[in-house]
mmCIF file with all atom_site columns, all heavy atoms in Angstrom:
data_model
loop_
_atom_site.group_PDB
_atom_site.id
_atom_site.type_symbol
_atom_site.label_atom_id
_atom_site.label_alt_id
_atom_site.label_comp_id
_atom_site.label_asym_id
_atom_site.label_entity_id
_atom_site.label_seq_id
_atom_site.pdbx_PDB_ins_code
_atom_site.Cartn_x
_atom_site.Cartn_y
_atom_site.Cartn_z
_atom_site.occupancy
_atom_site.B_iso_or_equiv
_atom_site.pdbx_formal_charge
_atom_site.auth_seq_id
_atom_site.auth_comp_id
_atom_site.auth_asym_id
_atom_site.auth_atom_id
_atom_site.pdbx_PDB_model_num
ATOM 1  N N   . GLY V 1 8   ? -14.850 7.736   3.568   1.00 66.00 ? 8   GLY V N   1
ATOM 2  C CA  . GLY V 1 8   ? -14.502 6.325   3.537   1.00 66.00 ? 8   GLY V CA  1
ATOM 3  C C   . GLY V 1 8   ? -15.733 5.466   3.769   1.00 66.00 ? 8   GLY V C   1
ATOM 4  O O   . GLY V 1 8   ? -16.847 5.966   3.890   1.00 66.00 ? 8   GLY V O   1
ATOM 5  N N   . VAL V 1 105 ? -22.676 20.302  -18.577 1.00 80.00 ? 105 VAL V N   1
ATOM 6  C CA  . VAL V 1 105 ? -21.443 19.512  -18.437 1.00 80.00 ? 105 VAL V CA  1
ATOM 7  C C   . VAL V 1 105 ? -21.050 19.409  -16.968 1.00 80.00 ? 105 VAL V C   1
ATOM 8  O O   . VAL V 1 105 ? -20.748 18.328  -16.458 1.00 80.00 ? 105 VAL V O   1
ATOM 9  C CB  . VAL V 1 105 ? -20.290 20.145  -19.254 1.00 80.00 ? 105 VAL V CB  1
ATOM 10 C CG1 . VAL V 1 105 ? -18.986 19.438  -18.958 1.00 80.00 ? 105 VAL V CG1 1
ATOM 11 C CG2 . VAL V 1 105 ? -20.603 20.089  -20.733 1.00 80.00 ? 105 VAL V CG2 1
ATOM 12 N N   . LEU V 1 136 ? -12.488 -8.726  -14.178 1.00 85.00 ? 136 LEU V N   1
ATOM 13 C CA  . LEU V 1 136 ? -11.242 -8.919  -14.934 1.00 85.00 ? 136 LEU V CA  1
ATOM 14 C C   . LEU V 1 136 ? -11.074 -10.348 -15.423 1.00 85.00 ? 136 LEU V C   1
ATOM 15 O O   . LEU V 1 136 ? -10.269 -10.616 -16.297 1.00 85.00 ? 136 LEU V O   1
ATOM 16 C CB  . LEU V 1 136 ? -10.027 -8.541  -14.065 1.00 85.00 ? 136 LEU V CB  1
ATOM 17 C CG  . LEU V 1 136 ? -9.816  -7.062  -13.766 1.00 85.00 ? 136 LEU V CG  1
ATOM 18 C CD1 . LEU V 1 136 ? -8.622  -6.875  -12.859 1.00 85.00 ? 136 LEU V CD1 1
ATOM 19 C CD2 . LEU V 1 136 ? -9.626  -6.267  -15.048 1.00 85.00 ? 136 LEU V CD2 1
ATOM 20 N N   . VAL V 1 154 ? -1.834  -0.792  -2.971  1.00 89.00 ? 154 VAL V N   1
ATOM 21 C CA  . VAL V 1 154 ? -1.834  0.630   -3.337  1.00 89.00 ? 154 VAL V CA  1
ATOM 22 C C   . VAL V 1 154 ? -2.688  1.412   -2.343  1.00 89.00 ? 154 VAL V C   1
ATOM 23 O O   . VAL V 1 154 ? -2.270  2.446   -1.819  1.00 89.00 ? 154 VAL V O   1
ATOM 24 C CB  . VAL V 1 154 ? -2.367  0.841   -4.771  1.00 89.00 ? 154 VAL V CB  1
ATOM 25 C CG1 . VAL V 1 154 ? -2.550  2.328   -5.055  1.00 89.00 ? 154 VAL V CG1 1
ATOM 26 C CG2 . VAL V 1 154 ? -1.423  0.229   -5.781  1.00 89.00 ? 154 VAL V CG2 1
ATOM 27 N N   . LEU V 1 162 ? 2.404   9.275   1.107   1.00 89.00 ? 162 LEU V N   1
ATOM 28 C CA  . LEU V 1 162 ? 2.168   10.721  1.158   1.00 89.00 ? 162 LEU V CA  1
ATOM 29 C C   . LEU V 1 162 ? 2.709   11.295  2.458   1.00 89.00 ? 162 LEU V C   1
ATOM 30 O O   . LEU V 1 162 ? 3.316   12.369  2.484   1.00 89.00 ? 162 LEU V O   1
ATOM 31 C CB  . LEU V 1 162 ? 0.668   11.005  1.040   1.00 89.00 ? 162 LEU V CB  1
ATOM 32 C CG  . LEU V 1 162 ? 0.084   10.821  -0.360  1.00 89.00 ? 162 LEU V CG  1
ATOM 33 C CD1 . LEU V 1 162 ? -1.423  10.951  -0.324  1.00 89.00 ? 162 LEU V CD1 1
ATOM 34 C CD2 . LEU V 1 162 ? 0.678   11.836  -1.325  1.00 89.00 ? 162 LEU V CD2 1
ATOM 35 N N   . GLY V 1 165 ? 6.462   11.364  2.247   1.00 90.00 ? 165 GLY V N   1
ATOM 36 C CA  . GLY V 1 165 ? 6.871   12.439  1.352   1.00 90.00 ? 165 GLY V CA  1
ATOM 37 C C   . GLY V 1 165 ? 6.836   13.782  2.064   1.00 90.00 ? 165 GLY V C   1
ATOM 38 O O   . GLY V 1 165 ? 7.768   14.583  1.966   1.00 90.00 ? 165 GLY V O   1
ATOM 39 N N   . GLY V 1 176 ? 16.915  24.152  4.955   1.00 83.00 ? 176 GLY V N   1
ATOM 40 C CA  . GLY V 1 176 ? 17.107  25.232  3.998   1.00 83.00 ? 176 GLY V CA  1
ATOM 41 C C   . GLY V 1 176 ? 17.195  24.841  2.536   1.00 83.00 ? 176 GLY V C   1
ATOM 42 O O   . GLY V 1 176 ? 17.880  25.496  1.755   1.00 83.00 ? 176 GLY V O   1
ATOM 43 N N   . LYS V 1 181 ? 18.326  26.698  -5.847  1.00 77.00 ? 181 LYS V N   1
ATOM 44 C CA  . LYS V 1 181 ? 17.406  27.071  -6.917  1.00 77.00 ? 181 LYS V CA  1
ATOM 45 C C   . LYS V 1 181 ? 17.441  26.077  -8.070  1.00 77.00 ? 181 LYS V C   1
ATOM 46 O O   . LYS V 1 181 ? 16.582  26.093  -8.936  1.00 77.00 ? 181 LYS V O   1
ATOM 47 C CB  . LYS V 1 181 ? 17.746  28.475  -7.436  1.00 77.00 ? 181 LYS V CB  1
ATOM 48 C CG  . LYS V 1 181 ? 17.493  29.561  -6.414  1.00 77.00 ? 181 LYS V CG  1
ATOM 49 C CD  . LYS V 1 181 ? 16.010  29.692  -6.071  1.00 77.00 ? 181 LYS V CD  1
ATOM 50 C CE  . LYS V 1 181 ? 15.790  30.757  -5.015  1.00 77.00 ? 181 LYS V CE  1
ATOM 51 N NZ  . LYS V 1 181 ? 14.607  30.505  -4.201  1.00 77.00 ? 181 LYS V NZ  1
ATOM 52 N N   . PRO V 1 193 ? 15.553  9.870   -1.579  1.00 94.00 ? 193 PRO V N   1
ATOM 53 C CA  . PRO V 1 193 ? 15.225  9.330   -0.246  1.00 94.00 ? 193 PRO V CA  1
ATOM 54 C C   . PRO V 1 193 ? 13.825  8.729   -0.164  1.00 94.00 ? 193 PRO V C   1
ATOM 55 O O   . PRO V 1 193 ? 13.625  7.710   0.504   1.00 94.00 ? 193 PRO V O   1
ATOM 56 C CB  . PRO V 1 193 ? 15.338  10.540  0.679   1.00 94.00 ? 193 PRO V CB  1
ATOM 57 C CG  . PRO V 1 193 ? 15.670  11.697  -0.144  1.00 94.00 ? 193 PRO V CG  1
ATOM 58 C CD  . PRO V 1 193 ? 15.909  11.285  -1.538  1.00 94.00 ? 193 PRO V CD  1
ATOM 59 N N   . ARG V 1 218 ? -6.142  -17.934 -2.751  1.00 82.00 ? 218 ARG V N   1
ATOM 60 C CA  . ARG V 1 218 ? -6.618  -17.305 -1.548  1.00 82.00 ? 218 ARG V CA  1
ATOM 61 C C   . ARG V 1 218 ? -8.143  -17.293 -1.516  1.00 82.00 ? 218 ARG V C   1
ATOM 62 O O   . ARG V 1 218 ? -8.791  -17.458 -2.536  1.00 82.00 ? 218 ARG V O   1
ATOM 63 C CB  . ARG V 1 218 ? -6.119  -15.864 -1.464  1.00 82.00 ? 218 ARG V CB  1
ATOM 64 C CG  . ARG V 1 218 ? -4.657  -15.693 -1.817  1.00 82.00 ? 218 ARG V CG  1
ATOM 65 C CD  . ARG V 1 218 ? -4.198  -14.281 -1.576  1.00 82.00 ? 218 ARG V CD  1
ATOM 66 N NE  . ARG V 1 218 ? -4.419  -13.919 -0.202  1.00 82.00 ? 218 ARG V NE  1
ATOM 67 C CZ  . ARG V 1 218 ? -5.098  -12.859 0.175   1.00 82.00 ? 218 ARG V CZ  1
ATOM 68 N NH1 . ARG V 1 218 ? -5.630  -12.068 -0.708  1.00 82.00 ? 218 ARG V NH1 1
ATOM 69 N NH2 . ARG V 1 218 ? -5.259  -12.601 1.445   1.00 82.00 ? 218 ARG V NH2 1
#
Side-chain angles (χ1 to χ4, degrees):
Chain V
V105 172
L136 289 178
V154 172
L162 286 173
K181 293 295 178 208
R218 315 186 58 234

